[in-house]
Amino acid sequence: MNATDTPAAARCAASFVLLIALLTGTAKAGDEHILRTDPPVAGASVFVDGEPAGTTDSNGNVVVSGTPGSHEIRVEYQGRIFKTPKTFDPEITELEPFPIGEVTMVTETQPPVVAGSGGTATDGTGSGAATGGGQHTVVTPPPKQEVTDWWLIGLVALLVASVVLLVIVTLRDRRKTLLRPPPSGVMLPIAEQTVGHFDRYRLTGTLGSGGVGTIYRAFDLVDKTDLALKVLDSRWLGDPDMVRKFLLEGQTLQAIRERDANARVVKCFRYGREHDSIVGRPFIALELIEGETLQSRLAREPILDELTSTAVGHQIATALVSVHGAGVVHRDLTPDNIFLRKGDLVVSGRRFTSVPMVVLIDFGIARQELMSRMTMDGSIAGKPHFMSPEQCRGLDVDARSDLYSLGIILFLMAAGRLPFAGRDPFDVMRAQQTEDAPRLPTDANARYAELCARLLRKNRDSRPESATVAAAELAELLVSLDDASSLNVVSFLKRRLSS
């Protein structure tokens, strides 16, 4: 058998599975839902309306099936039996967590007894309820006499043989060519690999990783283009809230682009779950941008010249206009989320070829959630050196919080240092709330320094009213600097070296 026999073998195995399902009556119509025990326990047996539905995995998860409506869910774990009703909604794939130890525990006795001990009593049928403290003993009924169904054993053996054959053929085919696209509908886990396949993408390398996911360089086998593929780490699959916030980043990026096609934010091509499966790994397919982050540029060149810092600041403010116009607050505007690439910048009819183009590359909604969980009270998320006073206090933030972060970035590019520095993040957060921001050096452009000071005011009502205002002022300054270029304006850095 060669690699071309794989589709025939797959169809053969699928036919055997369908035949067995029809004969044994185990195939059930209905939607699939994810049920998770609370707290998560592994190895618990789950039943839907008395029928076995599966066993929980290491995260306490199990996929169950059922028609829309109310169903009785029973979980058996370590000799204890728990029952509670659940409503299956076809629009909701994840059921509310099934509490272990917080519902009435039902014990069954055989033969029936009338009284129990330790706070437990049974009725005449041998069933009873135990709540509260005390030790409970579950008396299991005597084993029923087993009846051997030889025809069923034969079918199961036939199924096992078919699956083994399919696995052998598939492994043989994959050994011949690792980079061959997977058959439609086949899910291949990627773990921590750097080469392979995921959904409709061929992975060609790793671009980076963070607290919640890994970013791969990938090739779209459908659209025939290179892109960046952001995939949620498998350890978060059991956290529905983290999954939702991860995918929310893709939804946010698309919403911004739909409102403003020229927005200076990274493009999101697709987002969802691998192969559109409810158990597939969540992913976001993003535009692949060549260049470097502003953080990398500042590490190499701590102080940028007036023209470059003004041009970068103008483009950040312009990006915020698009973001805020879509009803989104970034909340994490930092140099490592600002990407610089080559290109020509056009402002007020002027073309600037010596300055980099700016793209916001990471909204990190799920990562912000992770950082929030790691704080003492869970009320803040962000990097303290770039957070607004209201964000440090854990208050609700609006677009003016992003303008404060823009002011810190303008200060950093011109001075080569942060206005509020320190190794202790709590000391930095206290300074953000109580200390006035220092002024830029006297050799800084006066209009640049004045805008920076307004952006860094503690009272949000005293800052510029919008990113549009900041972008317009920086555009005017950029044009004036271009007019003065013939006068040989000296950069911040050269002035430092000559003093």
Side-chain angles (χ1 to χ4, degrees):
M1 182 178 293
N2 53 41
T4 61
D5 296 328
T6 302
R11 288 194 298 271
C12 177
S15 298
F16 281 126
V17 173
L18 179 60
L19 175 60
I20 293 173
L22 291 174
L23 290 175
T24 61
T26 58
K28 296 180 179 180
D31 298 321
E32 290 186 334
H33 304 269
I34 297 177
L35 177 70
R36 184 176 80 252
T37 60
D38 182 21
V41 295
S45 299
V46 179
F47 299 81
V48 178
D49 295 331
E51 296 294 330
T55 304
T56 56
D57 59 17
S58 58
N59 292 320
N61 294 332
V62 64
V63 177
V64 298
S65 299
T67 57
S70 180
H71 297 268
E72 182 187 72
I73 306 296
R74 186 171 88 247
V75 175
E76 297 184 2
Y77 178 66
Q78 293 184 347
R80 294 179 295 169
I81 302 174
F82 303 91
K83 295 181 181 179
T84 190
K86 291 286 184 183
T87 299
F88 288 7
D89 187 338
E91 300 298 326
I92 302 177
T93 59
E94 296 173 358
L95 299 175
E96 289 294 324
F98 188 103
I100 296 294
E102 298 179 4
V103 299
T104 300
M105 183 179 74
V106 178
T107 62
E108 297 181 6
T109 61
Q110 181 72 25
V113 296
V114 177
S117 61
T120 304
T122 60
D123 57 22
T125 63
S127 297
T131 59
Q135 299 294 323
H136 310 291
T137 302
V138 177
V139 182
T140 58
K144 298 180 180 179
Q145 183 177 359
E146 297 184 359
V147 179
T148 303
D149 294 324
W150 294 108
W151 65 273
L152 182 59
I153 293 177
L155 287 176
V156 172
L158 190 58
L159 173 62
V160 172
S162 300
V163 172
V164 171
L165 177 61
L166 178 61
V167 170
I168 292 175
V169 173
T170 301
L171 291 177
R172 181 180 177 182
D173 183 60
R174 290 193 66 195
R175 185 170 61 249
K176 286 186 176 182
T177 170
L178 179 62
L179 298 181
R180 186 175 177 181
S184 178
V186 176
M187 298 175 61
L188 300 177
I190 62 174
E192 314 307 325
Q193 66 191 32
T194 58
V195 177
H197 284 89
F198 180 91
D199 197 80
R200 74 186 208 187
Y201 308 103
R202 184 174 68 223
L203 308 180
T204 58
T206 302
L207 296 175
S209 60
V212 298
T214 301
I215 303 178
Y216 298 92
R217 188 185 185 101
F219 180 76
D220 190 330
L221 297 170
V222 176
D223 292 339
K224 308 300 182 184
T225 184
D226 291 314
L227 49 78
L229 189 67
K230 191 172 184 178
V231 182
L232 183 68
D233 289 344
S234 57
R235 61 196 175 105
W236 297 110
L237 292 180
D239 190 332
D241 193 50
M242 186 66 76
V243 170
R244 179 184 64 81
K245 291 185 177 179
F246 177 86
L247 294 176
L248 182 59
E249 180 179 357
Q251 180 182 348
T252 299
L253 290 172
Q254 286 194 348
I256 295 172
R257 278 281 180 172
E258 287 173 1
R259 190 181 184 279
D260 182 2
N262 298 316
R264 296 181 182 276
V265 300
V266 63
K267 295 179 183 178
C268 173
F269 301 120
R270 291 178 68 225
Y271 67 93
R273 286 182 178 266
E274 183 184 13
H275 298 299
D276 294 323
S277 169
I278 62 173
V279 294
R281 293 272 291 279
F283 71 90
I284 305 173
L286 301 167
E287 172 187 12
L288 182 64
I289 307 174
E290 302 291 347
E292 65 177 347
T293 64
L294 177 59
Q295 179 173 295
S296 299
R297 173 70 179 267
L298 292 174
R300 187 177 72 254
E301 187 180 349
I303 301 176
L304 303 183
D305 62 77
E306 290 177 345
L307 190 68
T308 300
S309 59
T310 303
V312 169
H314 165 71
Q315 293 178 82
I316 297 172
T318 302
L320 290 178
V321 172
S322 301
V323 171
H324 297 162
V328 177
V329 180
H330 194 287
R331 292 183 174 85
D332 193 30
L333 190 64
T334 59
D336 59 342
N337 290 335
I338 299 169
F339 209 78
L340 307 179
R341 65 178 179 183
K342 294 182 179 179
D344 292 344
L345 174 64
V346 178
V347 177
S348 301
R350 305 283 186 97
R351 185 175 298 275
F352 299 85
T353 59
S354 62
V355 298
M357 300 290 287
V358 167
V359 180
L360 298 189
I361 60 171
D362 186 6
F363 280 61
I365 298 171
R367 176 171 47 77
Q368 292 174 34
E369 169 67 9
L370 174 62
M371 294 179 67
S372 176
R373 295 182 184 186
M374 295 172 65
T375 60
M376 292 183 65
D377 60 0
S379 62
I380 60 172
K383 298 180 179 67
H385 292 92
F386 297 90
M387 290 165 57
S388 66
E390 58 270 22
Q391 194 174 5
C392 291
R393 294 189 182 98
L395 303 176
D396 291 336
V397 298
D398 56 23
R400 293 168 294 181
S401 179
D402 287 342
L403 294 182
Y404 186 92
S405 300
L406 171 61
I408 292 181
I409 294 174
L410 291 179
F411 188 100
L412 177 62
M413 291 189 295
R417 62 181 178 84
L418 290 164
F420 304 104
R423 294 186 177 182
D424 187 337
F426 293 99
D427 287 343
V428 175
M429 291 169 64
R430 280 192 291 271
Q432 297 280 27
Q433 299 174 60
T434 60
E435 297 180 13
D436 291 333
R439 300 287 297 184
L440 282 171
T442 56
D443 57 356
N445 182 282
R447 292 172 62 184
Y448 185 103
E450 191 274 336
L451 174 60
C452 185
R454 285 162 49 212
L455 290 169
L456 290 176
R457 288 174 179 169
K458 303 302 178 185
N459 186 345
R460 68 177 99 184
D461 293 330
S462 300
R463 300 170 200 157
E465 62 182 16
S466 68
T468 303
V469 173
E473 293 189 25
L474 287 166
E476 292 178 2
L477 176 58
L478 187 61
V479 171
S480 67
L481 290 174
D482 186 47
D483 290 337
S485 60
S486 59
L487 301 178
N488 192 25
V489 176
V490 182
S491 69
F492 290 154
L493 180 58
K494 290 180 180 179
R495 291 177 180 177
R496 302 288 193 286
L497 294 177
S498 62
S499 60

